Each structure stands twice: as C-alpha cells, then as structure tokens.
Amino acid sequence: MEQRSNKLTVKGVVVSSKMDKTVVVRAERLVKHSVFHKFIKRYVKYKAHDEQNACQVGDKVLIVESRPLSREKRWRMLEILEKAK
C-alpha cells in the first residue's frame, strides 16, 4: 500500500467485472503469525469504480480511495498495470 496525495492506493487483481462500471479487486498482504513467526497471506476484496469498463478478470490494477460512490464502492480504478493474458 502506497500513499499519493493523502489518499491510499492499493495494487490488486480484478476477480469480477460483471457489474456495470464496477470491478471487484482482490488485494493481498502479508501478516506475520504471532506464535510461529511465519508470514501468512491475507486477502481483502474492494469494489472499485471503472468508468470506461476497461478492466477484465485477471488484470492487475491500481485503485485509489475516494468518496463514497455507492453503498459499497469507496475506491476508484486509477490505472491498469498489466492486462490479463
């Protein structure tokens, strides 16, 4: 997670693009286990606004937090980092 102009940005992979102008992005982070001191992958899914419907499943994207756009959408798709093959 990086910060750009006081707004949090997250990199993730698009897991669903079935909704109109909305994509579901799955972001991954590593958390250290308190007892075993091993790194564990944790995932969270964000709904992000995609104005041009440019994203497809499997794309790596950069999303940035924004004002509430709907009941669950609090993120906007900033750019596509890598297209799906």
Side-chain angles (χ1 to χ4, degrees):
M1 294 183 192
E2 305 163 3
Q3 278 200 343
R4 186 184 298 174
S5 72
N6 287 342
K7 293 193 177 186
L8 199 63
T9 60
V10 176
K11 293 176 187 172
V13 178
V14 176
V15 292
S16 174
S17 62
K18 292 179 181 181
M19 294 173 275
D20 187 34
K21 296 187 179 183
T22 303
V23 290
V24 179
V25 178
R26 183 179 188 218
E28 169 187 304
R29 64 186 175 99
L30 292 175
V31 177
K32 194 170 188 178
H33 194 281
S34 60
V35 175
F36 299 113
H37 307 293
K38 196 174 177 181
F39 284 99
I40 304 166
K41 289 181 184 176
R42 297 287 184 205
Y43 301 98
V44 64
K45 291 198 284 190
Y46 299 107
K47 288 188 176 69
H49 185 67
D50 179 17
E51 184 64 39
Q52 285 87 28
N53 285 324
C55 291
Q56 297 172 351
V57 176
D59 291 352
K60 290 183 182 174
V61 295
L62 183 68
I63 58 174
V64 63
E65 66 180 348
S66 67
R67 64 180 177 84
L69 299 168
S70 70
R71 192 183 75 170
E72 294 181 337
K73 277 202 290 189
R74 278 23 176 188
W75 298 83
R76 282 184 299 113
M77 197 265 306
L78 195 62
E79 64 177 306
I80 299 173
L81 302 172
E82 184 179 322
K83 291 295 278 183
K85 295 176 179 151

Coordinates of all heavy atoms in Angstrom, one line a residue:
M1 N 0.8 -1.2 0.0 CA 0.0 0.0 0.0 C 0.9 1.2 0.0 O 1.8 1.4 0.8 CB -0.9 0.0 1.2 CG -1.9 -1.1 1.3 SD -2.9 -0.9 2.7 CE -3.8 -2.5 2.6
E2 N 0.6 2.1 -0.9 CA 1.4 3.3 -1.0 C 0.4 4.5 -0.8 O -0.8 4.4 -1.0 CB 2.0 3.4 -2.4 CG 2.8 2.2 -2.8 CD 3.1 2.2 -4.3 OE1 2.7 3.0 -5.0 OE2 3.7 1.2 -4.7
Q3 N 1.1 5.7 -0.5 CA 0.2 6.9 -0.4 C 0.6 7.9 -1.4 O 1.8 8.1 -1.7 CB 0.4 7.5 1.0 CG -0.4 6.8 2.0 CD -0.7 7.7 3.2 OE1 0.1 8.6 3.4 NE2 -1.7 7.4 4.0
R4 N -0.4 8.5 -2.0 CA -0.2 9.5 -3.0 C -1.2 10.6 -2.7 O -2.4 10.4 -2.8 CB -0.4 9.0 -4.4 CG 0.0 9.9 -5.5 CD -0.3 9.3 -6.9 NE 0.5 8.1 -7.1 CZ 0.3 7.3 -8.1 NH1 -0.6 7.6 -9.0 NH2 1.1 6.3 -8.3
S5 N -0.7 11.8 -2.3 CA -1.6 12.9 -2.0 C -2.7 12.6 -1.0 O -3.8 12.8 -1.1 CB -2.3 13.5 -3.3 OG -3.3 12.6 -3.7
N6 N -2.2 12.0 0.2 CA -3.1 11.7 1.3 C -4.2 10.7 1.0 O -5.1 10.5 1.8 CB -3.7 12.9 1.9 CG -2.6 13.7 2.7 OD1 -1.6 13.2 3.0 ND2 -2.9 15.0 2.9
K7 N -4.2 10.0 -0.2 CA -5.1 9.0 -0.5 C -4.4 7.7 -0.6 O -3.4 7.6 -1.3 CB -5.9 9.4 -1.7 CG -6.8 10.6 -1.5 CD -7.8 10.7 -2.7 CE -8.6 11.9 -2.4 NZ -9.7 12.1 -3.3
L8 N -5.0 6.7 0.0 CA -4.4 5.4 0.0 C -4.5 4.7 -1.4 O -5.6 4.8 -2.0 CB -5.0 4.5 1.0 CG -4.3 3.3 1.5 CD1 -3.0 3.7 2.2 CD2 -5.1 2.5 2.5
T9 N -3.5 4.1 -1.9 CA -3.5 3.3 -3.2 C -3.2 1.9 -2.9 O -2.3 1.6 -2.0 CB -2.6 3.9 -4.2 OG1 -1.3 3.8 -3.7 CG2 -2.9 5.3 -4.6
V10 N -3.9 1.0 -3.6 CA -3.7 -0.4 -3.4 C -3.6 -1.1 -4.7 O -4.3 -0.8 -5.7 CB -4.9 -1.0 -2.6 CG1 -4.8 -2.5 -2.5 CG2 -5.1 -0.4 -1.3
K11 N -2.6 -2.1 -4.8 CA -2.5 -2.9 -6.1 C -3.2 -4.2 -5.8 O -3.2 -4.8 -4.8 CB -1.0 -3.2 -6.3 CG -0.2 -1.9 -6.7 CD 1.2 -2.3 -6.9 CE 2.0 -1.0 -7.1 NZ 3.5 -1.3 -7.1
G12 N -3.9 -4.6 -6.9 CA -4.6 -5.9 -6.8 C -5.0 -6.5 -8.1 O -4.7 -5.9 -9.2
V13 N -5.7 -7.6 -8.1 CA -6.1 -8.3 -9.3 C -7.6 -8.3 -9.4 O -8.3 -8.5 -8.4 CB -5.6 -9.8 -9.2 CG1 -6.0 -10.5 -10.5 CG2 -4.1 -9.8 -9.1
V14 N -8.1 -8.0 -10.6 CA -9.6 -8.0 -10.8 C -10.1 -9.4 -10.8 O -9.6 -10.3 -11.5 CB -9.9 -7.3 -12.1 CG1 -11.4 -7.4 -12.4 CG2 -9.4 -5.9 -12.1
V15 N -11.1 -9.7 -9.9 CA -11.7 -11.0 -9.8 C -13.1 -11.1 -10.4 O -13.6 -12.1 -10.7 CB -11.7 -11.6 -8.4 CG1 -10.3 -11.8 -7.9 CG2 -12.4 -10.6 -7.4
S16 N -13.7 -9.9 -10.6 CA -15.0 -9.9 -11.2 C -15.3 -8.5 -11.9 O -14.9 -7.5 -11.3 CB -16.1 -10.1 -10.1 OG -17.4 -9.9 -10.7
S17 N -15.8 -8.6 -13.1 CA -16.2 -7.3 -13.8 C -17.6 -7.4 -14.4 O -17.9 -6.9 -15.4 CB -15.1 -7.1 -14.9 OG -15.2 -8.1 -15.8
K18 N -18.5 -8.2 -13.7 CA -19.8 -8.4 -14.2 C -20.7 -7.2 -14.1 O -21.7 -7.0 -14.8 CB -20.4 -9.6 -13.6 CG -19.7 -10.9 -13.9 CD -20.3 -12.1 -13.2 CE -19.6 -13.4 -13.6 NZ -20.2 -14.5 -12.9
M19 N -20.4 -6.4 -13.1 CA -21.3 -5.2 -12.8 C -20.9 -4.1 -13.8 O -19.8 -4.0 -14.3 CB -21.1 -4.7 -11.4 CG -21.6 -5.7 -10.4 SD -21.2 -5.2 -8.7 CE -19.6 -5.9 -8.5
D20 N -21.9 -3.2 -14.0 CA -21.7 -2.0 -14.9 C -20.9 -1.0 -14.2 O -21.3 -0.5 -13.1 CB -23.0 -1.5 -15.4 CG -22.8 -0.4 -16.4 OD1 -21.9 -0.5 -17.2 OD2 -23.6 0.6 -16.4
K21 N -19.7 -0.6 -14.7 CA -18.8 0.4 -14.2 C -18.3 0.1 -12.8 O -17.9 1.0 -12.1 CB -19.5 1.8 -14.2 CG -19.8 2.3 -15.6 CD -20.3 3.7 -15.5 CE -20.6 4.2 -17.0 NZ -21.1 5.5 -17.0
T22 N -18.2 -1.2 -12.5 CA -17.7 -1.6 -11.2 C -16.9 -2.9 -11.4 O -17.2 -3.8 -12.1 CB -18.8 -1.9 -10.2 OG1 -19.7 -0.8 -10.1 CG2 -18.3 -2.3 -8.8
V23 N -15.7 -2.9 -10.7 CA -14.9 -4.1 -10.7 C -14.6 -4.5 -9.2 O -14.6 -3.7 -8.3 CB -13.6 -4.0 -11.4 CG1 -13.8 -3.8 -12.9 CG2 -12.8 -2.8 -10.9
V24 N -14.4 -5.8 -9.0 CA -14.1 -6.3 -7.7 C -12.6 -6.6 -7.7 O -12.1 -7.4 -8.6 CB -14.9 -7.5 -7.3 CG1 -14.5 -8.0 -5.9 CG2 -16.4 -7.2 -7.3
V25 N -11.8 -6.0 -6.9 CA -10.3 -6.1 -6.9 C -9.9 -6.9 -5.6 O -10.4 -6.5 -4.5 CB -9.7 -4.8 -6.9 CG1 -8.2 -4.9 -6.9 CG2 -10.1 -4.0 -8.2
R26 N -9.1 -7.9 -5.8 CA -8.6 -8.7 -4.6 C -7.2 -8.3 -4.3 O -6.3 -8.4 -5.2 CB -8.7 -10.2 -5.0 CG -8.2 -11.1 -3.8 CD -8.4 -12.5 -4.3 NE -8.1 -13.4 -3.2 CZ -7.5 -14.6 -3.3 NH1 -7.0 -14.9 -4.5 NH2 -7.3 -15.4 -2.3
A27 N -7.0 -7.7 -3.1 CA -5.6 -7.3 -2.7 C -5.1 -8.2 -1.7 O -5.8 -8.8 -0.9 CB -5.7 -5.8 -2.2
E28 N -3.8 -8.4 -1.7 CA -3.1 -9.3 -0.9 C -2.1 -8.6 0.0 O -1.5 -7.6 -0.4 CB -2.3 -10.3 -1.8 CG -1.3 -11.2 -1.1 CD -0.5 -12.0 -2.0 OE1 -1.1 -12.7 -2.9 OE2 0.7 -11.9 -2.0
R29 N -2.0 -9.1 1.3 CA -1.0 -8.5 2.2 C -0.4 -9.6 3.0 O -1.0 -10.7 3.2 CB -1.6 -7.4 3.1 CG -2.6 -7.9 4.0 CD -3.3 -6.7 4.8 NE -4.4 -7.2 5.6 CZ -4.3 -7.5 6.9 NH1 -3.2 -7.3 7.5 NH2 -5.4 -7.9 7.6
L30 N 0.8 -9.5 3.5 CA 1.5 -10.5 4.3 C 1.4 -10.1 5.8 O 1.7 -8.9 6.1 CB 2.9 -10.6 3.9 CG 3.2 -11.2 2.5 CD1 4.6 -11.2 2.1 CD2 2.6 -12.6 2.4
V31 N 1.0 -11.0 6.6 CA 0.9 -10.8 8.0 C 1.8 -11.8 8.7 O 1.7 -13.0 8.4 CB -0.5 -10.9 8.5 CG1 -0.6 -10.7 10.0 CG2 -1.4 -9.9 7.8
K32 N 2.6 -11.4 9.7 CA 3.4 -12.3 10.5 C 2.6 -13.0 11.6 O 1.9 -12.3 12.3 CB 4.6 -11.6 11.0 CG 5.7 -12.5 11.5 CD 6.9 -11.7 11.9 CE 8.1 -12.7 12.2 NZ 9.3 -11.9 12.5
H33 N 2.7 -14.3 11.6 CA 2.0 -15.1 12.6 C 2.6 -14.8 14.0 O 3.9 -14.8 14.1 CB 2.0 -16.6 12.3 CG 1.0 -17.4 13.1 ND1 1.3 -17.8 14.4 CD2 -0.2 -17.9 12.8 CE1 0.2 -18.5 14.8 NE2 -0.7 -18.6 13.9
S34 N 1.8 -14.6 15.0 CA 2.4 -14.2 16.3 C 3.1 -15.4 17.0 O 4.1 -15.1 17.8 CB 1.2 -13.7 17.2 OG 0.3 -14.7 17.4
V35 N 2.7 -16.6 16.8 CA 3.3 -17.7 17.5 C 4.4 -18.4 16.7 O 5.5 -18.6 17.1 CB 2.3 -18.8 17.9 CG1 2.9 -20.0 18.5 CG2 1.3 -18.2 18.9
F36 N 4.1 -18.7 15.4 CA 5.0 -19.4 14.5 C 6.0 -18.5 13.7 O 6.8 -19.0 13.1 CB 4.2 -20.3 13.6 CG 3.4 -21.3 14.3 CD1 2.0 -21.2 14.3 CD2 3.9 -22.3 15.1 CE1 1.2 -22.2 15.0 CE2 3.2 -23.2 15.8 CZ 1.8 -23.1 15.7
H37 N 5.8 -17.2 13.8 CA 6.7 -16.2 13.1 C 6.8 -16.5 11.6 O 7.9 -16.4 11.1 CB 8.1 -16.2 13.8 CG 7.9 -15.9 15.3 ND1 7.5 -14.8 15.8 CD2 8.2 -16.8 16.3 CE1 7.5 -14.8 17.1 NE2 7.9 -16.0 17.5
K38 N 5.8 -16.9 11.0 CA 5.7 -17.3 9.6 C 4.8 -16.3 8.9 O 3.8 -15.8 9.5 CB 5.2 -18.7 9.5 CG 5.4 -19.3 8.2 CD 4.9 -20.8 8.3 CE 5.0 -21.5 7.0 NZ 4.6 -22.8 7.0
F39 N 5.1 -15.9 7.7 CA 4.3 -14.9 7.0 C 3.1 -15.6 6.3 O 3.3 -16.6 5.7 CB 5.1 -14.1 6.0 CG 6.0 -13.1 6.6 CD1 7.3 -13.3 6.8 CD2 5.4 -11.9 7.0 CE1 8.1 -12.4 7.4 CE2 6.2 -10.9 7.6 CZ 7.5 -11.2 7.8
I40 N 1.9 -15.1 6.6 CA 0.7 -15.6 6.0 C 0.1 -14.6 5.1 O 0.1 -13.4 5.4 CB -0.3 -15.9 7.2 CG1 0.4 -16.9 8.2 CG2 -1.6 -16.6 6.7 CD1 -0.4 -16.9 9.5
K41 N -0.5 -15.1 4.0 CA -1.2 -14.2 3.0 C -2.6 -14.0 3.5 O -3.3 -14.9 3.8 CB -1.2 -14.8 1.6 CG 0.1 -14.8 1.0 CD 0.0 -15.4 -0.4 CE 1.4 -15.5 -1.1 NZ 1.3 -16.2 -2.4
R42 N -3.0 -12.7 3.5 CA -4.4 -12.4 3.9 C -4.9 -11.6 2.7 O -4.2 -10.8 2.1 CB -4.4 -11.5 5.1 CG -4.0 -12.2 6.4 CD -5.0 -13.2 6.8 NE -4.5 -13.8 8.1 CZ -4.9 -14.9 8.5 NH1 -5.7 -15.7 7.8 NH2 -4.5 -15.4 9.7
Y43 N -6.2 -11.7 2.4 CA -6.8 -11.1 1.2 C -8.0 -10.3 1.6 O -8.6 -10.6 2.6 CB -7.3 -12.2 0.2 CG -6.2 -13.1 -0.3 CD1 -6.0 -14.3 0.2 CD2 -5.3 -12.6 -1.3 CE1 -5.0 -15.1 -0.2 CE2 -4.3 -13.5 -1.8 CZ -4.2 -14.7 -1.2 OH -3.2 -15.5 -1.7
V44 N -8.2 -9.2 0.9 CA -9.4 -8.4 1.1 C -9.9 -8.0 -0.3 O -9.1 -7.8 -1.2 CB -9.1 -7.2 2.0 CG1 -8.1 -6.2 1.3 CG2 -10.4 -6.4 2.4
K45 N -11.2 -7.9 -0.5 CA -11.8 -7.6 -1.8 C -12.4 -6.2 -1.7 O -13.2 -5.9 -0.7 CB -12.9 -8.6 -2.2 CG -12.3 -9.9 -2.5 CD -13.2 -10.8 -3.4 CE -14.3 -11.4 -2.5 NZ -15.1 -12.4 -3.2
Y46 N -12.1 -5.4 -2.7 CA -12.7 -4.0 -2.8 C -13.5 -3.9 -4.0 O -13.2 -4.4 -5.1 CB -11.5 -3.0 -2.8 CG -10.6 -2.9 -1.7 CD1 -9.3 -3.4 -1.8 CD2 -11.0 -2.4 -0.5 CE1 -8.4 -3.4 -0.7 CE2 -10.1 -2.3 0.6 CZ -8.8 -2.9 0.5 OH -7.9 -2.8 1.5
K47 N -14.6 -3.1 -3.9 CA -15.4 -2.8 -5.1 C -14.9 -1.4 -5.6 O -14.9 -0.4 -4.8 CB -16.9 -2.7 -4.8 CG -17.4 -4.1 -4.6 CD -18.9 -4.1 -4.5 CE -19.5 -5.5 -4.4 NZ -19.2 -6.2 -3.2
A48 N -14.5 -1.3 -6.8 CA -13.9 -0.1 -7.3 C -14.6 0.4 -8.6 O -15.2 -0.4 -9.3 CB -12.4 -0.3 -7.7
H49 N -14.7 1.7 -8.8 CA -15.4 2.3 -9.9 C -14.5 2.3 -11.1 O -13.3 2.7 -11.1 CB -15.8 3.7 -9.5 CG -16.6 4.4 -10.6 ND1 -17.9 4.0 -10.8 CD2 -16.3 5.5 -11.4 CE1 -18.4 4.8 -11.8 NE2 -17.5 5.7 -12.1
D50 N -15.0 1.8 -12.2 CA -14.3 1.7 -13.5 C -15.2 2.4 -14.5 O -16.1 1.8 -15.1 CB -14.0 0.2 -13.9 CG -13.3 0.1 -15.2 OD1 -12.7 1.0 -15.7 OD2 -13.4 -1.1 -15.7
E51 N -14.9 3.7 -14.8 CA -15.8 4.5 -15.6 C -15.9 4.0 -17.0 O -17.0 4.0 -17.6 CB -15.3 5.9 -15.6 CG -16.1 6.9 -16.4 CD -17.5 7.1 -15.7 OE1 -17.6 7.1 -14.5 OE2 -18.5 7.2 -16.5
Q52 N -14.8 3.5 -17.7 CA -14.9 3.1 -19.1 C -15.2 1.6 -19.3 O -15.1 1.1 -20.4 CB -13.6 3.4 -19.8 CG -13.5 4.9 -20.2 CD -12.9 5.7 -19.0 OE1 -12.1 5.2 -18.3 NE2 -13.2 7.0 -19.0
N53 N -15.4 0.9 -18.2 CA -15.5 -0.6 -18.2 C -14.3 -1.2 -19.0 O -14.4 -2.1 -19.8 CB -16.8 -1.0 -18.9 CG -18.0 -0.9 -18.0 OD1 -17.9 -1.1 -16.8 ND2 -19.1 -0.5 -18.6
A54 N -13.1 -0.7 -18.6 CA -11.9 -1.2 -19.3 C -11.3 -2.4 -18.7 O -10.5 -3.1 -19.4 CB -10.8 0.0 -19.3
C55 N -11.6 -2.7 -17.5 CA -11.0 -3.9 -16.8 C -11.6 -5.2 -17.2 O -12.8 -5.2 -17.4 CB -11.0 -3.7 -15.3 SG -10.0 -2.4 -14.7
Q56 N -10.8 -6.3 -17.2 CA -11.3 -7.6 -17.3 C -10.8 -8.5 -16.2 O -9.8 -8.1 -15.5 CB -10.9 -8.2 -18.7 CG -11.5 -7.4 -19.9 CD -10.9 -7.9 -21.2 OE1 -10.0 -8.6 -21.2 NE2 -11.5 -7.4 -22.3
V57 N -11.3 -9.6 -16.0 CA -10.9 -10.5 -15.0 C -9.4 -10.9 -15.2 O -9.0 -11.3 -16.3 CB -11.7 -11.8 -14.9 CG1 -11.2 -12.8 -13.9 CG2 -13.2 -11.4 -14.6
G58 N -8.6 -10.8 -14.2 CA -7.2 -11.1 -14.3 C -6.2 -9.9 -14.5 O -5.0 -10.1 -14.3
D59 N -6.8 -8.8 -14.7 CA -6.0 -7.6 -14.9 C -5.4 -7.2 -13.5 O -6.1 -7.2 -12.5 CB -6.8 -6.4 -15.4 CG -7.2 -6.6 -16.9 OD1 -6.7 -7.5 -17.5 OD2 -8.0 -5.8 -17.4
K60 N -4.1 -6.7 -13.5 CA -3.6 -6.1 -12.3 C -3.8 -4.6 -12.4 O -3.5 -4.0 -13.4 CB -2.1 -6.4 -12.3 CG -1.8 -7.9 -12.0 CD -0.3 -8.1 -11.8 CE -0.1 -9.6 -11.6 NZ 1.3 -10.0 -11.6
V61 N -4.4 -4.1 -11.4 CA -4.8 -2.7 -11.4 C -4.3 -1.9 -10.1 O -4.0 -2.6 -9.1 CB -6.4 -2.5 -11.5 CG1 -6.9 -3.0 -12.8 CG2 -7.1 -3.2 -10.3
L62 N -4.3 -0.6 -10.2 CA -4.0 0.3 -9.1 C -5.3 1.0 -8.8 O -5.9 1.7 -9.6 CB -2.9 1.2 -9.5 CG -2.4 2.2 -8.4 CD1 -1.7 1.3 -7.3 CD2 -1.5 3.2 -8.9
I63 N -5.8 0.9 -7.5 CA -7.0 1.6 -7.1 C -6.7 2.6 -6.0 O -5.7 2.5 -5.3 CB -8.1 0.6 -6.6 CG1 -7.6 -0.2 -5.4 CG2 -8.6 -0.3 -7.7 CD1 -8.7 -1.1 -4.8
V64 N -7.5 3.7 -6.0 CA -7.2 4.8 -5.0 C -8.5 5.0 -4.3 O -9.6 4.9 -4.9 CB -6.7 6.0 -5.7 CG1 -7.7 6.6 -6.7 CG2 -6.3 7.1 -4.8
E65 N -8.4 5.3 -3.0 CA -9.6 5.6 -2.2 C -10.3 6.9 -2.6 O -9.6 7.8 -3.1 CB -9.3 5.6 -0.7 CG -8.5 6.7 -0.2 CD -8.2 6.6 1.3 OE1 -8.9 5.8 2.0 OE2 -7.4 7.3 1.7
S66 N -11.6 6.9 -2.5 CA -12.3 8.1 -2.9 C -13.5 8.3 -2.0 O -13.7 7.6 -1.1 CB -12.8 8.0 -4.4 OG -13.8 7.0 -4.5
R67 N -14.3 9.3 -2.3 CA -15.6 9.5 -1.6 C -16.5 8.3 -1.8 O -16.4 7.6 -2.8 CB -16.2 10.8 -2.0 CG -16.7 10.8 -3.4 CD -17.3 12.1 -3.8 NE -17.7 12.2 -5.2 CZ -18.8 11.7 -5.7 NH1 -19.7 11.1 -4.9 NH2 -19.1 11.7 -7.0
P68 N -17.5 8.1 -1.0 CA -18.5 7.0 -1.2 C -19.2 7.2 -2.5 O -19.8 8.3 -2.8 CB -19.4 7.1 0.0 CG -18.6 7.7 1.0 CD -17.7 8.7 0.3
L69 N -19.1 6.3 -3.4 CA -19.8 6.3 -4.7 C -21.1 5.6 -4.7 O -22.0 5.9 -5.5 CB -18.9 5.8 -5.8 CG -17.6 6.6 -6.0 CD1 -16.6 5.8 -6.9 CD2 -17.8 7.9 -6.6
S70 N -21.2 4.6 -3.9 CA -22.5 3.9 -3.7 C -22.4 3.2 -2.3 O -21.5 3.6 -1.5 CB -22.7 2.8 -4.8 OG -21.7 1.8 -4.6
R71 N -23.3 2.3 -2.0 CA -23.3 1.7 -0.7 C -22.0 1.0 -0.3 O -21.5 1.1 0.8 CB -24.5 0.7 -0.6 CG -24.7 0.3 0.9 CD -25.8 -0.7 1.0 NE -25.3 -2.0 0.5 CZ -26.0 -3.1 0.7 NH1 -27.2 -3.1 1.2 NH2 -25.5 -4.3 0.2
E72 N -21.4 0.3 -1.3 CA -20.2 -0.4 -1.0 C -18.9 0.1 -1.8 O -17.8 -0.3 -1.5 CB -20.4 -1.9 -1.4 CG -21.4 -2.6 -0.5 CD -21.6 -4.0 -0.9 OE1 -21.3 -4.4 -2.1 OE2 -22.1 -4.8 0.0
K73 N -19.1 1.0 -2.7 CA -18.0 1.5 -3.5 C -17.3 2.7 -2.8 O -17.9 3.7 -2.7 CB -18.4 1.9 -4.9 CG -18.5 0.7 -5.9 CD -18.3 1.2 -7.3 CE -19.5 1.9 -7.8 NZ -19.5 2.1 -9.3
R74 N -16.0 2.5 -2.4 CA -15.3 3.6 -1.8 C -13.9 3.7 -2.6 O -13.0 4.4 -2.1 CB -14.9 3.3 -0.4 CG -15.9 3.5 0.7 CD -17.3 3.6 0.5 NE -18.2 3.8 1.6 CZ -19.4 3.7 1.5 NH1 -20.0 3.4 0.3 NH2 -20.2 3.9 2.5
W75 N -13.7 3.1 -3.7 CA -12.5 3.1 -4.4 C -12.7 3.4 -5.9 O -13.8 3.1 -6.4 CB -11.8 1.7 -4.3 CG -11.4 1.4 -2.9 CD1 -12.3 0.9 -1.9 CD2 -10.2 1.6 -2.2 NE1 -11.6 0.7 -0.8 CE2 -10.3 1.1 -0.9 CE3 -9.0 2.1 -2.7 CZ2 -9.3 1.2 0.0 CZ3 -7.9 2.2 -1.7 CH2 -8.1 1.7 -0.4
R76 N -11.7 4.0 -6.5 CA -11.7 4.2 -8.0 C -10.5 3.6 -8.6 O -9.4 3.5 -8.0 CB -11.6 5.7 -8.3 CG -12.9 6.5 -8.1 CD -12.8 8.0 -8.5 NE -11.8 8.7 -7.7 CZ -10.6 9.1 -8.2 NH1 -10.4 9.0 -9.5 NH2 -9.8 9.7 -7.4
M77 N -10.7 3.0 -9.8 CA -9.6 2.4 -10.5 C -8.8 3.5 -11.1 O -9.3 4.3 -11.9 CB -10.2 1.5 -11.6 CG -9.2 0.5 -12.2 SD -8.3 1.0 -13.7 CE -9.6 1.4 -14.7
L78 N -7.5 3.6 -10.8 CA -6.6 4.6 -11.2 C -6.0 4.3 -12.6 O -6.0 5.0 -13.5 CB -5.6 4.9 -10.2 CG -4.8 6.2 -10.3 CD1 -5.7 7.4 -10.2 CD2 -3.7 6.3 -9.2
E79 N -5.4 3.1 -12.7 CA -4.8 2.6 -13.9 C -4.7 1.1 -13.9 O -4.6 0.5 -12.9 CB -3.4 3.3 -14.1 CG -2.4 2.9 -13.0 CD -1.0 3.5 -13.3 OE1 -0.5 3.3 -14.4 OE2 -0.5 4.1 -12.4
I80 N -4.5 0.6 -15.2 CA -4.3 -0.8 -15.4 C -2.8 -1.0 -15.5 O -2.2 -0.5 -16.4 CB -5.0 -1.3 -16.6 CG1 -6.6 -1.1 -16.5 CG2 -4.7 -2.8 -16.9 CD1 -7.3 -1.4 -17.7
L81 N -2.3 -1.8 -14.6 CA -0.8 -2.0 -14.6 C -0.4 -3.1 -15.5 O 0.6 -3.0 -16.2 CB -0.3 -2.4 -13.1 CG -0.6 -1.4 -12.1 CD1 -0.3 -1.9 -10.7 CD2 0.1 -0.1 -12.3
E82 N -1.2 -4.2 -15.6 CA -0.9 -5.3 -16.5 C -2.2 -5.9 -17.0 O -3.1 -6.2 -16.2 CB -0.1 -6.3 -15.8 CG 0.4 -7.4 -16.6 CD 1.3 -8.4 -15.7 OE1 2.1 -7.9 -14.9 OE2 1.1 -9.6 -16.0
K83 N -2.4 -6.1 -18.3 CA -3.6 -6.7 -18.8 C -3.5 -8.3 -18.6 O -2.4 -8.8 -18.6 CB -3.7 -6.4 -20.3 CG -4.1 -5.0 -20.6 CD -5.4 -4.6 -20.1 CE -6.5 -5.0 -21.0 NZ -7.9 -4.5 -20.5
A84 N -4.6 -8.9 -18.5 CA -4.7 -10.4 -18.4 C -4.3 -11.0 -19.8 O -4.6 -10.4 -20.8 CB -6.1 -10.8 -18.0
K85 N -3.7 -12.2 -19.7 CA -3.3 -12.9 -20.9 C -4.4 -13.7 -21.5 O -5.3 -14.1 -20.9 CB -2.1 -13.8 -20.6 CG -1.0 -12.9 -20.2 CD 0.2 -13.8 -19.8 CE 1.3 -12.9 -19.5 NZ 2.2 -13.4 -18.5

